[in-house]
Amino acid sequence: MLAKRIIPCLDVKNGRTVKGINFESLKDAGDPVELGFLYSQQGADELVYLDISASQEGRSTFTELVKKVAAKISIPFTVGGGVSTVEDVEKLLNAGADKVTVNTAAIENPNLINTLAAHFGSQCIVVAIDAKFESGKWAVYSHGGRKKTPLNLITWAKEVETRGAGEILFTSMNHDGTKDGFAVQALRELSDAVTIPVIASGGAGSMKHFKEAFELGTADAALAASVFHFGQISLHDLKIYLRKNDIAVRN
Amino acid sequence: MKIAIIKYNAGNTQSVAFALDRIKVEYDITDNPEVITRADKVIFPGVGEASSTMNFLKERKLDKLIPSLKQPVLGICLGMQLMCEYSEENATQCLGIFPFSVKKFNATHVHKVPHTGWNSLTQCSGWLGSQFDNTFVYFVHSYYVPLNGYTVARTEYIAPFCAALEKDNFFAVQFHPEKSGETGERVFRKFLEL
């Protein structure tokens, strides 16, 4: 049976992980390779590395990092952050990434999704969608959540599917950082609207939240950052908890 | 032991190379027919689209070379599909080593396509052996090989399908051993021991 995936997300700036990560077992918790390797040993099913460097220099450091991750870690990983051209994607895939996320660039030029899918195959093109529930609607935001677009979550999701996306990474801006649980109802609507896998993001605070994302939200995967980075939830315990609750996870 | 990874436009060549590095095995990434023919083991990776990849192989005459190889050959993912007769992906005539057609999964809101993630192997036999029963390996694919007489491992998604094959000196896996953690490393070792 296909297992539900648990995906730790690492934000990287100028080649270093950000957010106050505290791991006694790591010599250098700021090293994204070491931290990703630790997560892979603990049972993470995939990893996501997001580059939040603003500078060109930071971006080339990130490509070097992708090579190191690919050499060291034997589970799949997705990379993203500021990806806007075929050349960007090519560079990251050649460095050894398995999938690449696009967000703002796809909103500004939806044809980019078709081009990327034709070039590299749908399986490695993940469209990230940041959306906020306001005035009774899920509005899509671009530029890292700073700019509101006229797009609606479900119609945009269907469009990216039609254009060839292989997966959707949906972050609820209302839930992100709250630790109050994922946007279960929106996840369910999204999952019912498309036939490509959906990754839930934003709101993980307890193990129960993951269960809800899978059971009620019917998400195919769930992504979280701080609950793992700060050791509030161990991947090992989370897998045991989900298995006890009859959710298919990898042993 | 000399190992050749066939060099072409496959998306996962570097990942396969890294996986062999991790188990400390040396290899050549090559499209040189002599080097491939003389290798003790050949790995045929694959990520991408079937028809353009077949064209790429034809341009380099690898479409004639691969089926003629006598040493153990391991096809991975699209590599496995291209070793079949035909693929529904853009109606592609493939290498014809395994006499089957590759079919597309029917996507539903419950069974998403691509089939993405970790799924378990069952009824493992042949070169893989029963030690791989109920182990999880990583898949990402929209097309699959139906169960057949050469199946040596099956996986269930929508219906049971063929996760691994064996026919004479040709071996193949639909999943990605290079992305399947320790289980994947054991799959490579198993192949290298043949």
Side-chain angles (χ1 to χ4, degrees), chain A residues 154-169:
Chain A
I154 301 293
T155 41
W156 176 232
K158 285 186 173 175
E159 182 175 343
V160 306
E161 174 181 29
T162 310
R163 289 181 178 276
E167 202 162 28
I168 290 170
L169 167 58

Side-chain angles (χ1 to χ4, degrees), chain A residues 50-133:
Chain A
L50 286 183
D51 182 23
I52 56 167
S53 314
S55 65
Q56 203 47 250
E57 197 186 345
R59 296 211 178 282
S60 32
T61 311
F62 187 69
T63 308
E64 286 308 304
L65 169 69
V66 171
K67 282 184 197 158
K68 289 181 195 151
V69 172
K72 174 86 174 170
I73 297 176
S74 59
I75 61 169
F77 69 101
T78 301
V79 299
V83 172
S84 58
T85 63
V86 172
E87 291 70 35
D88 290 343
V89 174
E90 191 163 28
K91 212 186 291 172
L92 293 166
L93 292 177
N94 284 344
D98 298 287
K99 304 186 244 185
V100 172
T101 68
V102 285
N103 189 337
T104 302
I107 293 170
E108 289 176 340
N109 169 23
N111 270 324
L112 177 67
I113 303 168
N114 305 61
T115 311
L116 293 176
H119 256 79
F120 307 107
S122 290
Q123 83 288 335
C124 60
I125 305 304
V126 181
V127 174
I129 306 179
D130 299 333
K132 193 192 264 181
F133 190 71

Side-chain angles (χ1 to χ4, degrees), chain B:
Chain B
M1 185 163 55
K2 283 198 164 64
I3 296 160
I5 300 176
I6 297 179
K7 182 179 171 183
Y8 70 115
N9 64 339
N12 61 338
T13 307
Q14 189 56 53
S15 299
V16 170
F18 281 141
L20 295 183
D21 287 339
R22 285 192 292 268
I23 58 170
K24 303 194 166 41
V25 172
E26 288 182 17
Y27 52 84
D28 285 314
I29 301 175
T30 177
D31 57 2
N32 180 328
E34 273 178 43
V35 177
I36 295 172
T37 308
R38 272 188 284 126
D40 300 302
K41 301 271 159 58
V42 175
I43 296 178
F44 180 36
V47 163
E49 188 276 322
S51 66
S52 56
T53 305
M54 270 308 294
N55 288 337
F56 196 95
L57 292 174
K58 281 181 195 160
E59 281 166 20
R60 285 153 185 78
K61 301 197 165 52
L62 290 167
D63 64 317
K64 296 281 181 287
L65 177 72
I66 295 168
S68 74
L69 293 172
K70 301 290 179 237
Q71 67 275 61
V73 178
L74 176 66
I76 298 174
C77 195
L78 181 64
M80 162 163 158
Q81 298 182 0
L82 294 179
M83 286 158 85
C84 294
E85 194 88 48
Y86 172 84
S87 173
E88 283 184 2
E89 188 172 16
N90 294 317
T92 305
Q93 287 299 327
C94 303
L95 299 171
I97 296 166
F98 302 119
F100 322 113
S101 291
V102 180
K103 310 223 176 272
K104 186 165 195 312
F105 281 123
N106 283 319
T108 68
H109 299 297
V110 178
H111 288 101
K112 308 295 182 68
V113 175
H115 171 224
T116 304
W118 297 79
N119 204 333
S120 50
L121 300 175
T122 58
Q123 300 186 34
C124 298
S125 60
W127 71 282
L128 279 176
S130 58
Q131 56 174 297
F132 286 97
D133 277 336
N134 303 313
T135 56
F136 278 82
V137 287
Y138 190 81
F139 291 88
V140 50
H141 60 126
S142 301
Y143 294 81
Y144 70 99
V145 178
L147 292 178
N148 58 69
Y150 301 110
T151 300
V152 293
R154 49 171 78 192
T155 291
E156 181 127 5
Y157 193 66
I158 306 173
F161 70 87
C162 174
L165 278 169
E166 173 174 351
K167 181 178 182 272
D168 308 322
N169 59 316
F170 293 98
F171 306 84
V173 290
Q174 178 60 67
F175 54 90
H176 288 279
E178 75 278 15
K179 288 289 160 181
S180 296
E182 283 171 33
T183 305
E185 291 180 359
R186 280 164 53 211
V187 170
F188 278 122
R189 284 185 209 280
K190 208 68 188 160
F191 171 70
L192 297 174
E193 283 164 12
L194 290 169

Side-chain angles (χ1 to χ4, degrees), chain A residues 179 181-182 203-211 227 233 238 241:
Chain A
K179 293 198 164 41
F182 293 93
S206 70
M207 297 202 280
K208 189 164 161 272
H209 294 153
F210 287 88
K211 173 178 177 274
V227 287
I233 297 177
L238 178 57
Y241 169 84

